[in-house]
Amino acid sequence: MNVRRVIPAAALGGAVALGATALTACSGASAAGGHEDGKLQVMSSFYPMQFLAEQIGKDHVKVDTLTKPGVEPHDLEITPRQTGRLGASDVVLYLKGLQPAVDKAVAQSGVKHVVDAAALTKLEVHASSGHDHAHEGEEGAGEEAHDHGHDHGEAGEDPHVWLDPVKYAEIAKGVGAALEKADPGHAADYRKNTDELTGKLAALDTEFKDGLQNTSSRTFITTHSAFGYLAERYGLDQEGISGVDPESEPSPARVKELQAVAKKDNVSTVFFETLASDKTAKTLAADTGLKTDVLDPLEGISDKSQGADYFEVMRSNLKNLQKALGSK
């Protein structure tokens, strides 16, 4: 998001403390068999990557993450010590363009098996209003003033691919293949686990399709324009409160514009995310006579999350969307 939170280095110092001992002990090893516990050492950049590694690797992997639970990941900064821990890993799993500091650290890590999730599926450019994409040409030009992407590289691709179960499954297949290559002795298990996970993601996709097929409205308003892929997959329109810090009040002009959108598209709810304040959503809701609810971009799991893992939170998102859109 364009919200830039400064995260103190001290707060991040313990982000991977749980895995520090294991990772330090395995420095220089290049295969699972080279570690005392015989497990493949996997470092993930943030929760969606961690979840894939855990689901596919299961008992054969030891997974750690650079982003502490409950921390908004976009502007994570990591220390030289954490960069060193990357070099002690067998596999690094990240999403290039989401966390610049991680991108730099990965490039310097020297790890043999590096998996960039952004290379495992097609990324697109999403505006914060509606379905407008850069590849649709002039048609989306009018939304440019409202596009408040996360400044993800020159092309401005939207990195939030994990919120589309279909694209997340594509990434899962690539992660599974990478684990097989890094630890061929357990390749059959990785293939089995990958098939099991992609099957669950296909079922989740069906739940979203069926659950959002017949609704009173197709438009939702959110403080974080992270749901472009989800909106496109299920025929919805995302209206982001563009250019506004989730913890500050939206501009009068944008409030007026969103009031018109809400009236025209029968919008009932303003969504906010779990890792940021709900102040903006509440302010806009008060000004427009709307309700507020949570739509979680699943960048991390905390005690505030509406679920304990990816699938539980995604189903909470579906339930909240159905309620807001007037599912029939």
Side-chain angles (χ1 to χ4, degrees):
M1 64 182 78
N2 71 333
V3 181
R4 298 305 182 197
R5 297 184 178 85
V6 178
I7 304 172
L12 292 170
V16 292
L18 293 176
T21 302
L23 287 172
T24 303
C26 70
S27 181
S30 61
H35 303 292
E36 290 182 9
D37 59 7
K39 293 187 177 184
L40 196 71
Q41 306 293 307
V42 180
M43 179 66 81
S44 63
S45 57
F46 73 130
Y47 177 73
M49 304 299 103
Q50 175 189 350
F51 184 73
L52 290 182
E54 290 172 344
Q55 293 294 302
I56 296 171
K58 294 192 176 178
D59 293 338
H60 299 312
V61 300
K62 172 69 171 66
V63 183
D64 292 290
T65 183
L66 290 170
T67 306
K68 188 177 180 179
V71 172
E72 202 283 335
H74 286 281
D75 294 310
L76 177 74
E77 293 185 10
I78 60 177
T79 65
R81 182 183 178 190
Q82 289 173 314
T83 301
R85 288 170 181 164
L86 279 173
S89 303
D90 298 314
V91 179
V92 172
L93 176 56
Y94 78 122
L95 202 165
K96 188 175 183 179
L98 182 74
Q99 299 169 288
V102 173
D103 295 351
K104 182 177 180 180
V106 169
Q108 298 172 347
S109 70
V111 174
K112 181 179 179 181
H113 301 285
V114 174
V115 184
D116 172 15
L120 299 175
T121 188
K122 180 178 174 56
L123 267 60
E124 299 174 356
V125 177
H126 292 136
S128 63
S129 297
H131 292 286
D132 299 308
H133 308 136
H135 60 261
E136 290 175 348
E138 296 180 2
E139 196 174 297
E143 307 297 344
E144 193 170 327
H146 303 309
D147 187 357
H148 73 294
H150 301 289
D151 195 24
H152 301 119
E154 295 181 8
E157 289 106 343
D158 180 357
H160 301 90
V161 285
W162 62 91
L163 292 167
D164 175 350
V166 177
K167 285 188 172 292
Y168 200 40
E170 292 175 358
I171 295 171
K173 292 176 183 177
V175 171
L179 293 183
E180 288 181 40
K181 186 174 181 180
D183 182 18
H186 297 116
D189 287 341
Y190 295 138
R191 281 194 293 272
K192 177 184 176 183
N193 296 341
T194 300
D195 289 344
E196 180 181 324
L197 177 58
T198 55
K200 290 180 179 178
L201 288 168
L204 182 66
D205 173 48
T206 298
E207 288 179 42
F208 268 81
K209 282 180 181 175
D210 293 345
L212 298 172
Q213 189 171 18
N214 190 8
T215 58
S216 299
S217 176
R218 308 303 290 175
T219 302
F220 63 94
I221 297 174
T222 174
T223 55
H224 184 185
S225 292
F227 302 91
Y229 292 106
L230 185 149
E232 182 176 14
R233 177 68 59 188
Y234 304 112
L236 305 178
D237 288 307
Q238 170 184 244
E239 282 286 345
I241 306 174
S242 56
V244 178
D245 185 321
E247 297 178 10
S248 67
E249 296 182 4
S251 68
R254 185 56 174 157
V255 170
K256 185 176 180 180
E257 186 174 11
L258 288 171
Q259 284 176 329
V261 169
K263 184 176 181 180
K264 175 179 177 291
D265 295 340
N266 194 28
V267 175
S268 68
T269 305
V270 179
F271 287 111
F272 62 94
E273 60 182 280
T274 52
L275 295 184
S277 168
D278 62 357
K279 182 179 178 181
T280 298
K282 286 185 174 179
T283 299
L284 178 61
D287 289 339
T288 56
L290 304 177
K291 296 177 288 187
T292 59
D293 207 345
V294 171
L295 198 59
D296 195 331
L298 257 165
E299 294 173 340
I301 293 287
S302 72
D303 55 3
K304 295 181 181 179
S305 300
Q306 296 187 342
D309 64 16
Y310 174 85
F311 285 105
E312 288 186 7
V313 175
M314 282 295 283
R315 289 190 171 99
S316 292
N317 282 344
L318 173 58
K319 182 179 178 181
N320 294 343
L321 278 169
Q322 287 177 304
K323 181 179 178 182
L325 299 174
S327 181
K328 300 175 182 177

